Structure formats: C-alpha cells, structure tokens
Amino acid sequence: MAGTLSAPFRTLAIDPGAVTGCRQLNQGDARTMDDQTDVAEARESFRRALIASFQTRRGVGDVEAAAAHFCQALRQQGAPPERTLIEAKEVIHGAIDGDDAALAEKAVLSCIQHYYRP
C-alpha cells in the first residue's frame, strides 16, 4: 500500500553476547514511533470522517477537523507540504474515490490551510 508509514522490524542474533540488526531505542526513536502512531490514528480518523460525511451528506466540519489533524500530524513528523498533500489525496481517494468533488475539495483546502498554521 502506498504511503504506509511503518516498516517491518528484523532482529538477527549472531551469538549469545551480540545482536545485530537491531539497536537500542533512544528518545528520538520513541518520538518517531509516537509520531507514526499519531499519523496513523489521524489518517484513520480522516478516512472515517470522509466516509461518514459522504454517506450522510453532513459532517463537513468533522471532515475539515480530521483533515487538519492529519496534515498537522504529518507536518510534525517532518513531511514536506507536497508529501502531505499526496498523503491527504490518497486518503480521500481511498475513502470516497472521487464520488464527491466538493467534499474532496474542502478536505484538501482544510489540509493545506492547517499545514501552514503554527
């Protein structure tokens, strides 16, 4: 799946006293994992909000809030604006597949606006 943020982990033991292929986590690694969790949760919330709004024709505010949260989470993780917009469009395409251009436009606009907010 394109845009997947997690990667498989591999540990290779050579002898009882040495382990290669893995490393001890430092504080930056823990933050990166937390950031990835935040992005994954924000992505799912954004997807659910899009689907709910598309099905009920209501809840555009929920979509805008979820889009904002998702794009801010990507920004905090260090994603550039171009990558953030691509990720947002992938979520939109996967959730509503171009069936509601107005909703997709609002979600993209919200994402762009909130990416640049401090």
Side-chain angles (χ1 to χ4, degrees):
M1 175 181 190
T4 301
L5 298 175
S6 61
F9 295 96
R10 184 181 86 191
T11 303
L12 175 64
I14 294 179
D15 65 62
V19 176
T20 61
C22 71
R23 59 191 168 86
Q24 187 172 2
L25 294 176
N26 61 37
Q27 210 170 26
D29 294 331
R31 180 174 176 196
T32 300
M33 288 190 306
D34 288 344
D35 289 348
Q36 288 177 350
T37 300
D38 290 345
V39 169
E41 290 172 357
R43 176 188 304 272
E44 181 59 20
S45 176
F46 182 28
R47 187 188 71 77
R48 284 192 316 262
L50 282 162
I51 291 170
S53 183
F54 176 70
Q55 290 174 342
T56 64
R57 302 290 183 215
R58 293 181 295 179
V60 174
D62 293 340
V63 170
E64 291 175 341
H69 180 71
F70 175 62
C71 292
Q72 286 173 336
L74 284 169
R75 178 180 170 213
Q76 288 173 348
Q77 191 181 37
E82 299 84 6
R83 181 81 230 147
T84 300
L85 190 56
I86 290 168
E87 295 271 345
K89 287 182 175 184
E90 287 175 354
V91 173
I92 293 165
H93 179 72
I96 60 174
D97 195 24
D99 291 332
D100 190 336
L103 179 60
E105 185 177 317
K106 286 180 185 195
V108 168
L109 182 60
S110 181
C111 189
I112 292 168
Q113 289 173 334
H114 286 87
Y115 181 89
Y116 289 104
R117 283 198 180 153

